[in-house]
Amino acid sequence: MALNPFLAKKLYSYSKDELHFDSCMEFGNQRFMLSNKESYNLLKMLKREDYFDFFGDSNENLYDKTRKFYEFIGIKSYKSIDLNGFDDALQFDLNEDILNHYDYNETYNLIINNGTSEHVFDQKNVFLNSHNLCREGGYMIHMLPFFSWVNHGFYNFNPIFFADLAASNNYKIIKISLANRDGAELKLDGNNFSVLFEQIKPYKNNSKFQK
């Protein structure tokens, strides 16, 4: 999995917005996949230009770079789940109920599902795991394919999925948007979330979408 420019910028922004998360669990260990220029711009925002050589454009130490970036934004405790076992990842199968199958009951105040759950057959359990691993009052980030990702994984996710997931579990949606990995983004303020959750049907006459 890849820590891309969009996720890196969002995590930096959330840390500046005082969304307090000092512990993180990731679904899929994330390789730091920013270009030289993107890395420099990010370090400049963090006022850590002295680490530019460490974050250089080579393909070495990609997991170490991710950990160091997370440290810069205030994450003190970091774990990931990935069957590849890289970077000391927990080799759990996300198709299983991790709490009961592995007797794993640690919790974190940030859960990141960045391009992972579309590769998991059992969607009920992967989102159950996200729920159980997240502390009450914590945050979940789900960055998943929407459309035009044919055969990338088993699933693409419509926005209404997240609306119903939140409603069913009493979550508060802080933000939802459509974006690409490089940072281009279409976002809505909270008053207009319902636009993304509307079922768009050609015979419906009371749609928020003009015909």
Side-chain angles (χ1 to χ4, degrees):
M1 305 303 166
L3 176 65
N4 56 46
F6 181 72
L7 178 56
K9 291 173 185 175
K10 287 302 168 187
L11 287 172
Y12 167 77
S13 174
Y14 296 153
S15 71
K16 300 300 288 183
D17 290 342
E18 298 185 352
L19 301 186
H20 298 293
F21 40 76
D22 60 3
S23 62
C24 174
M25 169 62 82
E26 284 196 300
F27 290 177
N29 43 26
Q30 302 290 318
R31 296 165 297 138
F32 192 85
M33 299 299 288
L34 277 69
S35 70
N36 207 320
K37 181 178 179 181
E38 291 163 341
S39 296
Y40 179 78
N41 289 336
L42 183 63
L43 292 169
K44 189 174 180 180
M45 289 190 295
L46 289 161
K47 297 181 171 56
R48 300 307 300 259
E49 294 97 326
D50 52 320
Y51 272 83
F52 180 66
D53 287 343
F54 176 77
F55 282 89
D57 214 3
S58 73
N59 288 322
E60 297 179 359
N61 306 315
L62 297 180
Y63 299 110
D64 292 339
K65 292 172 184 176
T66 297
R67 282 179 177 260
K68 181 58 70 175
F69 166 64
Y70 286 172
E71 179 185 317
F72 288 164
I73 61 171
I75 294 173
K76 300 173 183 176
S77 174
Y78 170 83
K79 290 298 293 183
S80 63
I81 295 173
D82 203 309
L83 290 175
N84 64 26
F86 295 158
D87 193 35
D88 200 30
L90 299 170
Q91 293 180 285
F92 295 163
D93 184 353
L94 287 168
N95 289 288
E96 302 287 352
D97 174 351
I98 287 171
L99 176 63
N100 291 306
H101 189 77
Y102 297 102
D103 194 29
Y104 188 82
N105 57 14
E106 296 292 328
T107 57
Y108 304 81
N109 44 32
L110 177 62
I111 309 298
I112 299 177
N113 171 23
N114 175 31
T116 296
S117 62
E118 72 267 27
H119 303 289
V120 180
F121 278 115
D122 194 324
Q123 292 295 289
K124 173 183 177 290
N125 274 345
V126 74
F127 286 97
L128 175 65
N129 290 328
S130 178
H131 178 92
N132 288 338
L133 288 163
C134 190
R135 291 176 189 162
E136 185 174 353
Y139 303 92
M140 303 176 195
I141 297 176
H142 298 291
M143 297 180 62
L144 302 171
F146 173 38
F147 66 95
S148 75
W149 283 69
V150 176
N151 284 340
H152 169 75
F154 302 125
Y155 307 98
N156 287 338
F157 297 83
N158 282 301
I160 198 170
F161 172 82
F162 299 102
D164 287 358
L165 180 70
S168 299
N169 292 281
N170 198 29
Y171 300 157
K172 177 182 178 182
I173 296 177
I174 296 175
K175 177 187 173 186
I176 189 164
S177 66
L178 308 178
N180 67 21
R181 70 173 303 281
D182 297 316
E185 182 180 23
L186 295 172
K187 54 187 175 182
L188 295 176
D189 62 41
N191 294 325
N192 292 311
F193 281 167
S194 60
V195 172
L196 281 179
F197 305 145
E198 183 178 348
Q199 293 187 32
I200 304 171
K201 297 180 179 179
Y203 55 81
K204 193 173 180 181
N205 295 319
N206 61 343
S207 172
K208 294 183 178 66
F209 294 87
Q210 293 188 2
K211 297 183 174 63

Short mmCIF file of all heavy atoms in Angstrom, two decimals, residues 27 93-98 120-132:
data_model
loop_
_atom_site.label_atom_id
_atom_site.label_comp_id
_atom_site.label_asym_id
_atom_site.label_seq_id
_atom_site.Cartn_x
_atom_site.Cartn_y
_atom_site.Cartn_z
N PHE A 27 -4.53 -0.40 8.03
CA PHE A 27 -4.83 -1.62 7.29
C PHE A 27 -3.95 -1.63 6.05
O PHE A 27 -4.19 -0.88 5.10
CB PHE A 27 -6.30 -1.68 6.89
CG PHE A 27 -7.25 -1.88 8.04
CD1 PHE A 27 -8.62 -1.89 7.83
CD2 PHE A 27 -6.79 -2.05 9.33
CE1 PHE A 27 -9.51 -2.07 8.88
CE2 PHE A 27 -7.67 -2.24 10.40
CZ PHE A 27 -9.04 -2.25 10.15
N ASP A 93 -5.45 -11.76 9.21
CA ASP A 93 -6.32 -11.80 8.03
C ASP A 93 -7.52 -10.90 8.30
O ASP A 93 -8.32 -11.18 9.20
CB ASP A 93 -6.76 -13.24 7.78
CG ASP A 93 -7.59 -13.40 6.52
OD1 ASP A 93 -7.96 -12.38 5.90
OD2 ASP A 93 -7.88 -14.55 6.16
N LEU A 94 -7.65 -9.83 7.53
CA LEU A 94 -8.75 -8.88 7.73
C LEU A 94 -10.12 -9.47 7.38
O LEU A 94 -11.15 -8.86 7.67
CB LEU A 94 -8.51 -7.60 6.93
CG LEU A 94 -7.41 -6.69 7.48
CD1 LEU A 94 -7.04 -5.61 6.46
CD2 LEU A 94 -7.84 -6.05 8.79
N ASN A 95 -10.14 -10.65 6.74
CA ASN A 95 -11.40 -11.34 6.53
C ASN A 95 -11.97 -11.89 7.83
O ASN A 95 -13.16 -12.22 7.91
CB ASN A 95 -11.23 -12.51 5.55
CG ASN A 95 -10.98 -12.06 4.14
OD1 ASN A 95 -11.88 -11.57 3.46
ND2 ASN A 95 -9.74 -12.21 3.68
N GLU A 96 -11.12 -12.02 8.84
CA GLU A 96 -11.54 -12.55 10.14
C GLU A 96 -11.94 -11.42 11.08
O GLU A 96 -11.50 -10.27 10.93
CB GLU A 96 -10.40 -13.35 10.78
CG GLU A 96 -9.88 -14.50 9.95
CD GLU A 96 -10.85 -15.67 9.90
OE1 GLU A 96 -11.86 -15.66 10.63
OE2 GLU A 96 -10.59 -16.61 9.12
N ASP A 97 -12.74 -11.77 12.08
CA ASP A 97 -13.04 -10.87 13.19
C ASP A 97 -11.81 -10.89 14.10
O ASP A 97 -11.61 -11.85 14.85
CB ASP A 97 -14.29 -11.35 13.91
CG ASP A 97 -14.61 -10.57 15.18
OD1 ASP A 97 -13.77 -9.76 15.61
OD2 ASP A 97 -15.70 -10.80 15.75
N ILE A 98 -10.98 -9.86 14.01
CA ILE A 98 -9.68 -9.87 14.68
C ILE A 98 -9.82 -9.97 16.19
O ILE A 98 -9.03 -10.67 16.85
CB ILE A 98 -8.88 -8.61 14.28
CG1 ILE A 98 -8.40 -8.76 12.83
CG2 ILE A 98 -7.71 -8.36 15.21
CD1 ILE A 98 -7.78 -7.51 12.25
N VAL A 120 -10.27 -7.09 0.19
CA VAL A 120 -10.69 -8.05 1.20
C VAL A 120 -12.07 -8.58 0.83
O VAL A 120 -12.99 -7.80 0.58
CB VAL A 120 -10.72 -7.40 2.60
CG1 VAL A 120 -11.15 -8.42 3.65
CG2 VAL A 120 -9.34 -6.83 2.95
N PHE A 121 -12.23 -9.91 0.81
CA PHE A 121 -13.52 -10.49 0.44
C PHE A 121 -14.62 -10.12 1.42
O PHE A 121 -15.70 -9.69 1.03
CB PHE A 121 -13.41 -12.02 0.39
CG PHE A 121 -12.85 -12.56 -0.90
CD1 PHE A 121 -11.63 -13.23 -0.89
CD2 PHE A 121 -13.51 -12.41 -2.10
CE1 PHE A 121 -11.10 -13.73 -2.07
CE2 PHE A 121 -12.99 -12.90 -3.28
CZ PHE A 121 -11.77 -13.57 -3.26
N ASP A 122 -14.35 -10.29 2.71
CA ASP A 122 -15.39 -10.15 3.72
C ASP A 122 -15.48 -8.70 4.18
O ASP A 122 -14.79 -8.26 5.11
CB ASP A 122 -15.09 -11.07 4.91
CG ASP A 122 -16.29 -11.24 5.84
OD1 ASP A 122 -17.03 -10.25 6.03
OD2 ASP A 122 -16.48 -12.34 6.36
N GLN A 123 -16.37 -7.93 3.55
CA GLN A 123 -16.51 -6.53 3.87
C GLN A 123 -17.10 -6.31 5.26
O GLN A 123 -16.74 -5.34 5.94
CB GLN A 123 -17.37 -5.83 2.82
CG GLN A 123 -16.71 -5.76 1.46
CD GLN A 123 -15.45 -4.90 1.50
OE1 GLN A 123 -15.52 -3.69 1.61
NE2 GLN A 123 -14.28 -5.54 1.41
N LYS A 124 -17.97 -7.19 5.69
CA LYS A 124 -18.52 -7.05 7.04
C LYS A 124 -17.40 -7.06 8.07
O LYS A 124 -17.33 -6.19 8.95
CB LYS A 124 -19.50 -8.17 7.34
CG LYS A 124 -19.98 -8.18 8.80
CD LYS A 124 -20.90 -9.35 9.07
CE LYS A 124 -21.31 -9.40 10.54
NZ LYS A 124 -20.19 -9.78 11.43
N ASN A 125 -16.50 -8.00 7.96
CA ASN A 125 -15.46 -8.12 8.98
C ASN A 125 -14.41 -7.02 8.88
O ASN A 125 -13.89 -6.56 9.90
CB ASN A 125 -14.80 -9.50 8.92
CG ASN A 125 -15.56 -10.53 9.73
OD1 ASN A 125 -16.40 -10.18 10.56
ND2 ASN A 125 -15.27 -11.80 9.50
N VAL A 126 -14.08 -6.59 7.68
CA VAL A 126 -13.05 -5.56 7.58
C VAL A 126 -13.53 -4.26 8.23
O VAL A 126 -12.78 -3.57 8.94
CB VAL A 126 -12.57 -5.34 6.13
CG1 VAL A 126 -13.57 -4.59 5.29
CG2 VAL A 126 -11.24 -4.61 6.11
N PHE A 127 -14.81 -3.92 8.07
CA PHE A 127 -15.32 -2.70 8.71
C PHE A 127 -15.66 -2.94 10.18
O PHE A 127 -15.60 -1.99 10.98
CB PHE A 127 -16.51 -2.15 7.92
CG PHE A 127 -16.08 -1.48 6.65
CD1 PHE A 127 -16.12 -2.16 5.44
CD2 PHE A 127 -15.59 -0.18 6.66
CE1 PHE A 127 -15.69 -1.55 4.26
CE2 PHE A 127 -15.16 0.44 5.49
CZ PHE A 127 -15.21 -0.25 4.30
N LEU A 128 -15.98 -4.17 10.55
CA LEU A 128 -16.11 -4.51 11.97
C LEU A 128 -14.76 -4.34 12.67
O LEU A 128 -14.69 -3.81 13.79
CB LEU A 128 -16.60 -5.95 12.12
CG LEU A 128 -16.65 -6.49 13.56
CD1 LEU A 128 -17.69 -5.74 14.39
CD2 LEU A 128 -16.95 -8.00 13.54
N ASN A 129 -13.69 -4.77 12.01
CA ASN A 129 -12.36 -4.61 12.59
C ASN A 129 -12.00 -3.13 12.78
O ASN A 129 -11.41 -2.75 13.80
CB ASN A 129 -11.31 -5.29 11.71
CG ASN A 129 -11.44 -6.80 11.75
OD1 ASN A 129 -11.83 -7.38 12.76
ND2 ASN A 129 -11.12 -7.46 10.64
N SER A 130 -12.34 -2.32 11.81
CA SER A 130 -12.11 -0.89 11.93
C SER A 130 -12.85 -0.34 13.15
O SER A 130 -12.30 0.45 13.94
CB SER A 130 -12.56 -0.17 10.66
OG SER A 130 -12.39 1.22 10.77
N HIS A 131 -14.08 -0.77 13.31
CA HIS A 131 -14.90 -0.32 14.44
C HIS A 131 -14.29 -0.75 15.77
O HIS A 131 -14.15 0.05 16.70
CB HIS A 131 -16.31 -0.91 14.29
CG HIS A 131 -17.26 -0.58 15.41
ND1 HIS A 131 -18.09 0.51 15.38
CD2 HIS A 131 -17.48 -1.22 16.60
CE1 HIS A 131 -18.80 0.55 16.49
NE2 HIS A 131 -18.45 -0.48 17.25
N ASN A 132 -13.91 -2.02 15.88
CA ASN A 132 -13.41 -2.55 17.15
C ASN A 132 -12.03 -2.01 17.52
O ASN A 132 -11.71 -1.90 18.70
CB ASN A 132 -13.36 -4.08 17.10
CG ASN A 132 -14.74 -4.71 17.14
OD1 ASN A 132 -15.70 -4.09 17.60
ND2 ASN A 132 -14.85 -5.94 16.65
#
